[in-house]
Amino acid sequence: QVQLVESGGGLVQAGGSLRLSCAYSGNIFRIFDLGWYRSTPGKQPELVAAITRGGNTNYPDSVKGRFTISRDNGKNTMYLQMNSLKPEDTAVYYCNTKPVVRSWGQGTQVTVSS
């Protein structure tokens, strides 16, 4: 069973930083590429960072240079370091496989105030 649980969201001022964590089960990183997604009301989740099984990363232009995805396989945890946050980064953030093969978890709320 694929399990991923997000944590680490919160309220931060524009220009600030947050680090999100995603605890994942077993050897999921060997089977799936993983990603961080975000969702705002009425919109489908969008991918904001991905890490392949081989450890390669990629980002959309909207977060490139500000967000960094990483994982610690020894701790079964994936991270999203978010710097220089903007109000438009406000969303619920989720971790999931890429492509998505499981239902969405509860996510973690990130709110960036201006």
Side-chain angles (χ1 to χ4, degrees):
Q1 184 177 2
V2 175
Q3 293 186 339
L4 302 103
V5 180
E6 309 91 346
S7 63
L11 173 64
V12 64
Q13 289 189 331
S17 298
L18 279 174
R19 188 176 79 158
L20 307 183
S21 298
C22 171
Y24 53 79
S25 57
N27 290 322
I28 186 176
F29 67 94
R30 299 186 189 278
I31 303 170
F32 299 103
D33 295 348
L34 299 176
W36 282 98
Y37 302 77
R38 67 185 179 191
S39 177
T40 53
K43 294 186 178 181
Q44 290 292 317
E46 62 166 338
L47 182 69
V48 296
I51 185 165
T52 69
R53 284 162 287 178
N56 295 317
T57 60
N58 57 80
Y59 311 88
D61 288 344
S62 58
V63 306
K64 193 173 295 183
R66 300 189 298 121
F67 289 12
T68 303
I69 188 172
S70 62
R71 66 170 187 242
D72 183 335
N73 296 330
K75 296 182 179 180
N76 283 2
T77 304
M78 179 172 69
Y79 303 99
L80 184 67
Q81 178 67 44
M82 305 185 295
N83 298 328
S84 302
L85 282 162
K86 304 176 181 180
E88 51 263 42
D89 294 318
T90 295
V92 179
Y93 284 71
Y94 303 88
C95 56
N96 213 326
T97 57
K98 178 181 180 294
V100 175
V101 299
R102 63 178 280 276
S103 56
W104 298 100
Q106 292 189 331
T108 186
Q109 175 72 47
V110 172
T111 302
V112 184
S113 63
S114 57

